[in-house]
């Protein structure tokens, strides 16, 4: 019985030790066709957009948006919910005249054991133009994100 408790504690320590934090850098890995296709569909169908089924590393739902204080130039801060075992995470953005489409992304770490938890971190994305009257849309859910 004691051996089982020691083994369980060791596995838990390994899981916690292998759960890493990413940088939260908004520079997404290049060439995510899924995000680009989703942004195209949102632009075409807005406001009649349905959520993406399931959870995808390149289209993570967002937990809100706000104008960052003290940002140099036009920017938007979104909160990205990502897994504990990722090497990096961030947000992608596509701007049009009427929409700002944003999605979170994560790059999973190759681990055998990981804790099953959701971490939420802020990520600031640079915009070409201020949000202004445009609608900010979460690409994963297809919902309008209120900007504080």
């Amino acid at each position: 019985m004691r051996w089982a408790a020691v083994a369980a504690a060791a596995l838990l320590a390994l899981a916690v030790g292998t759960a890493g934090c990413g940088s939260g850098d908004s520079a997404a890995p290049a060439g995510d066709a899924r995000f680009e296709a989703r942004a195209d569909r949102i632009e075409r169908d807005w406001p009649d957009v349905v959520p993406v089924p399931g959870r995808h590393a390149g289209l993570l739902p967002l937990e809100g948006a706000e104008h960052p204080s003290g940002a140099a130039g036009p920017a938007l801060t979104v909160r990205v919910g990502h897994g504990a075992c990722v090497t990096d995470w961030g947000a992608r953005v596509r701007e049009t005249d009427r929409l700002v489409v944003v999605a979170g992304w994560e790059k999973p770490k190759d681990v055998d054991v990981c804790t099953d938890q959701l971490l939420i971190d802020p990520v600031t994305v640079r915009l070409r133009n201020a949000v202004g009257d445009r609608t900010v849309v979460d690409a994963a859910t297809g919902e309008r994100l209120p900007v504080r």
Side-chain angles (χ1 to χ4, degrees):
M1 184 68 152
R2 183 170 178 202
W3 173 250
V6 170
L11 283 175
L12 180 59
L14 176 64
V16 171
T18 60
C21 296
S23 68
D25 184 358
S26 67
D32 188 332
R34 179 174 283 165
F35 173 75
E36 294 302 324
R38 178 66 174 165
D40 287 343
R41 169 162 262 151
I42 289 170
E43 288 175 41
R44 185 186 67 229
D45 296 345
W46 183 257
D48 299 319
V49 181
V50 296
V52 173
R55 183 172 169 87
H56 307 281
L59 281 174
L60 299 178
L62 303 172
E63 305 293 328
E66 59 192 46
H67 295 289
S69 60
L76 189 64
T77 297
V78 294
R79 287 182 300 285
V80 177
H82 58 86
C85 290
V86 298
T87 57
D88 207 2
W89 66 87
R92 292 180 166 81
V93 64
R94 158 96 64 93
E95 298 181 60
T96 70
D97 291 340
R98 64 185 183 133
L99 300 174
V100 177
V101 180
V102 189
W105 60 266
E106 68 183 4
K107 183 178 176 188
K109 201 186 278 189
D110 186 19
V111 297
D112 293 330
V113 179
C114 182
T115 59
D116 188 15
Q117 65 191 35
L118 179 66
L119 303 175
I120 300 173
D121 286 296
V123 176
T124 300
V125 292
R126 304 287 174 221
L127 303 175
R128 289 189 313 269
N129 301 300
V131 172
D133 292 336
R134 297 183 293 173
T135 302
V136 178
V137 181
D138 181 329
T141 65
E143 300 282 327
R144 178 184 177 275
L145 277 176
V147 180
R148 294 187 273 147

